[in-house]
Amino acid sequence: MTSEVTKRLNKYISDTGLCSRREADKLIEQNRVTINDKLPELGTKVAQGDQVKVDGKLVKAVAEDKSDRIYLVYNKPIGITCTTERHVKGNIIDAIKHKQRIFPVGRLDKPSEGLIILTSDGDIVNKILRAENAHDKEYEVTVNQPISERFVQKMAKGVPILGTVTKPCKVNARGKFQFSIILTQGLNRQIRRMCEFLGYEVTKLKRTRIMHLELGNLKPGQWRNLTEKELNQLNSAVQKSSKTAG
């Protein structure tokens, strides 16, 4: 038995890992969803015992204790696209070949590689993305020319891109052409745009960490499930930051 008597239809579908709430609304508008074999309206609530179907296939409710949900980290290789659209060649879902329906949290550019979280828990996806600006993301970057102290200082202080100035961040030189950077925001192609503004071109970009989750020994194309400790830390971090994420 669940303590939640009813749940909005788009949340019910999203929680199963089928798609996001926004995508669920589109399915409802396209008359591809039924409740007890009847077409529902947007905002309809699902009660215990209701049968929800998408394209005629039954969508089972998830366990309230999340015991049936998947959480994993994946070392995305260069060339893989972070989309659930199966018609896109090189999509992340076909690359992982997980037996259960999962989707990525956020994205990592096709030319980039490294850590990305995938899950079947639509609720935690919404919380992580809402609170994204509160979370550290660490990258290893290689550029096409030697790094100067001026470059490191300017990157750390903030660079004007996309009509704004990037937030101050931690940057450390790791070699003649390499540096590490820790971001707390996620602007579109942020690191590449920052480097371009300063006259540098990124030749390799690898994400090694998101919050407490690290890539570790995972080779490109490999994935692993989160440990119980990692999952508890993730839930704790999301609960704390979601209150201030707006």
Side-chain angles (χ1 to χ4, degrees):
M1 294 289 286
T2 175
S3 59
E4 189 172 11
V5 179
T6 62
K7 183 184 288 188
R8 285 178 68 93
L9 179 56
N10 62 355
K11 187 177 190 304
Y12 177 99
I13 295 172
S14 172
D15 283 352
T16 68
L18 184 68
C19 60
S20 68
R21 292 191 201 185
R22 186 176 297 175
E23 289 168 336
D25 283 337
K26 290 180 182 177
L27 293 175
I28 297 165
E29 289 173 339
Q30 293 165 359
N31 294 331
R32 295 169 61 186
V33 180
T34 61
I35 300 179
N36 302 326
D37 296 321
K38 294 180 181 177
L39 292 174
E41 297 178 354
L42 286 174
T44 297
K45 294 194 173 181
V46 181
Q48 266 188 292
D50 283 346
Q51 281 202 337
V52 177
K53 294 180 182 177
V54 175
D55 294 333
K57 294 181 181 179
L58 187 65
V59 178
K60 293 183 180 179
V62 295
E64 287 300 318
D65 63 0
K66 298 190 176 185
S67 60
D68 59 348
R69 302 185 205 187
I70 306 298
Y71 307 86
L72 59 88
V73 292
Y74 172 58
N75 188 348
K76 186 193 88 66
I78 295 169
I80 297 299
T81 303
C82 292
T83 180
T84 57
E85 299 289 337
R86 304 296 287 273
H87 66 270
V88 176
K89 187 177 180 181
N91 71 79
I92 196 168
I93 304 305
D94 286 344
I96 290 182
K97 295 183 172 65
H98 199 282
K99 61 182 179 180
Q100 295 199 42
R101 196 184 300 271
I102 54 175
F103 43 88
V105 181
R107 57 178 291 112
L108 197 56
D109 291 340
K110 187 176 179 179
S112 304
E113 61 181 308
L115 191 154
I116 189 162
I117 304 168
L118 291 101
T119 182
S120 61
D121 183 355
D123 192 41
I124 206 167
V125 172
N126 295 326
K127 288 178 179 177
I128 291 173
L129 293 181
R130 277 204 306 269
E132 185 177 19
N133 285 357
H135 300 321
D136 281 359
K137 294 181 288 292
E138 187 167 358
Y139 301 81
E140 292 177 357
V141 189
T142 304
V143 289
N144 66 333
Q145 56 181 306
I147 294 165
S148 64
E149 184 61 31
R150 176 179 172 274
F151 170 83
V152 171
Q153 290 175 353
K154 284 188 172 292
M155 287 285 285
K157 188 176 180 180
V159 175
I161 60 168
L162 299 172
T164 186
V165 177
T166 58
K167 292 182 178 180
C169 59
K170 295 179 182 178
V171 181
N172 288 297
R174 298 293 187 196
K176 189 174 182 180
F177 297 90
Q178 286 127 359
F179 66 94
S180 65
I181 182 169
I182 300 174
L183 299 181
T184 56
Q185 65 184 142
L187 300 176
N188 181 254
R189 296 172 64 85
Q190 180 171 344
I191 296 171
R192 294 179 188 276
R193 291 179 190 274
M194 290 171 74
C195 289
E196 284 169 10
F197 179 83
L198 296 173
Y200 287 72
E201 181 184 341
V202 171
T203 58
K204 186 176 182 180
L205 180 61
K206 180 179 182 179
R207 184 159 63 195
T208 58
R209 179 174 65 86
I210 299 176
M211 294 180 282
H212 60 285
L213 300 174
E214 297 188 4
L215 203 54
N217 296 322
L218 282 181
K219 295 177 182 176
Q222 290 184 334
W223 59 268
R224 65 169 178 82
N225 292 306
L226 265 63
T227 64
E228 186 175 351
K229 181 180 179 181
E230 286 174 332
L231 184 55
N232 289 338
Q233 286 179 301
L234 181 62
N235 280 314
S236 176
V238 167
Q239 284 174 351
K240 289 175 184 175
S241 55
S242 61
K243 294 176 183 177
T244 57

